[in-house]
Amino acid sequence: IDKSLVDYPLPYDFGNAYYAFTYGPARHIVLSSYSNMDPGSKQYTWLVDQLNEVDRSVTPWLFVSLHCPIYNSFRLHRREPQLLHAKRFLEPLFVSHHVNMVFAGHVHAYMRTKPVIYDEVNDAGPIYVIVGNGGRQANAPYHRDEAEEWVLLRDHAEFGYGVLDIINSTHAFWEWEQTGFNAPEEAGKLGRYEPIEGQSDRGYVQNQFFLKK
């Protein structure tokens, strides 16, 4: 992001830009992509404290949300510092603390990864989800025609949202609910992609915490 184009200082370290809460059997940590996340920063120190305090016997599921994705199969936003810093400094924390799923937006498209650790498919790694196709446009171009190995499914034509149903301490069910697609006259400057008939993303998620070695 071009810091000269925003009306507030970056990195943004004011107010409640990041927070955490417990809902049922899950601990949710919401991070700020536009606050300092380097080791030693306020947000990074706070995050480490939050992760260390999670009791998986009480909240077996651990989810993180932030605006900018760490894994991105699309052409847009790939070299922004917020994404690069998150991958460099936050991914090791997510791996070592067995975060289950990391939710992001920013890219106007949908993607879910396989469990992944440092770009390698690994059953014990977090699952990364981009749900940036809730409105406006859903037309981010793919980075490559062939998806990366760690991509389970990606789409840049349909609008939608995700639903996560926690079944018990070891299993949950994820479903991507599709709600429509761009009409030809709504293509926007990036154009329009034809939706793939019958495409869906739904399935069980196993709690990686119990797969740790």
Side-chain angles (χ1 to χ4, degrees):
I1 187 171
D2 186 345
K3 296 181 181 180
S4 68
L5 299 178
V6 296
D7 295 327
Y8 49 84
L10 288 177
Y12 181 88
D13 277 321
F14 309 94
N16 297 326
Y18 41 90
Y19 55 93
F21 62 94
T22 297
Y23 187 80
R27 185 64 175 169
H28 297 261
I29 298 176
V30 182
L31 300 176
S32 170
S33 293
Y34 300 104
S35 299
N36 193 338
M37 61 185 73
D38 293 1
S41 66
K42 290 193 295 184
Q43 179 173 219
Y44 185 93
T45 302
W46 174 87
L47 173 60
V48 170
D49 290 341
Q50 288 292 319
L51 292 171
N52 287 334
E53 291 174 2
V54 175
D55 183 350
R56 302 302 276 267
S57 69
V58 177
T59 52
W61 293 91
L62 178 56
F63 304 119
V64 171
S65 299
L66 72 171
H67 183 69
C68 298
I70 291 178
Y71 281 84
N72 179 8
S73 187
F74 302 91
R75 188 193 309 162
L76 304 179
H77 307 300
R78 298 186 62 81
R79 304 302 299 173
E80 292 177 357
Q82 291 79 16
L83 284 72
L84 300 178
H85 281 220
K87 184 157 180 57
R88 179 181 178 186
F89 299 127
L90 302 187
E91 184 178 14
L93 297 178
F94 299 163
V95 171
S96 62
H97 288 274
H98 308 284
V99 170
N100 298 116
M101 300 181 76
V102 180
F103 300 98
H106 198 45
V107 180
H108 291 187
Y110 174 80
M111 184 197 76
R112 179 160 71 107
T113 73
K114 304 168 186 175
V116 58
I117 296 177
Y118 308 134
D119 300 293
E120 299 289 338
V121 176
N122 187 314
D123 287 343
I127 293 169
Y128 295 83
V129 182
I130 297 175
V131 191
N133 59 337
R136 185 176 175 267
Q137 295 288 338
N139 60 353
Y142 294 141
H143 177 51
R144 299 188 182 97
D145 290 338
E146 183 176 349
E148 295 84 350
E149 180 186 4
W150 38 261
V151 172
L152 180 66
L153 186 138
R154 64 181 186 174
D155 178 85
H156 61 178
E158 296 195 65
F159 298 118
Y161 59 92
V163 177
L164 182 66
D165 182 15
I166 296 177
I167 300 169
N168 53 37
S169 63
T170 61
H171 288 81
F173 191 83
W174 171 261
E175 184 166 11
W176 173 41
E177 298 281 0
Q178 294 123 299
T179 60
F181 49 87
N182 288 332
E185 65 273 14
E186 300 171 334
K189 64 180 180 179
L190 292 177
R192 175 182 181 270
Y193 300 94
E194 286 293 330
I196 299 174
E197 185 175 356
Q199 178 173 251
S200 65
D201 183 22
R202 59 196 310 268
Y204 289 98
V205 175
Q206 189 170 0
N207 191 330
Q208 302 95 314
F209 178 76
F210 298 102
L211 298 175
K212 64 182 182 178
K213 305 298 182 184

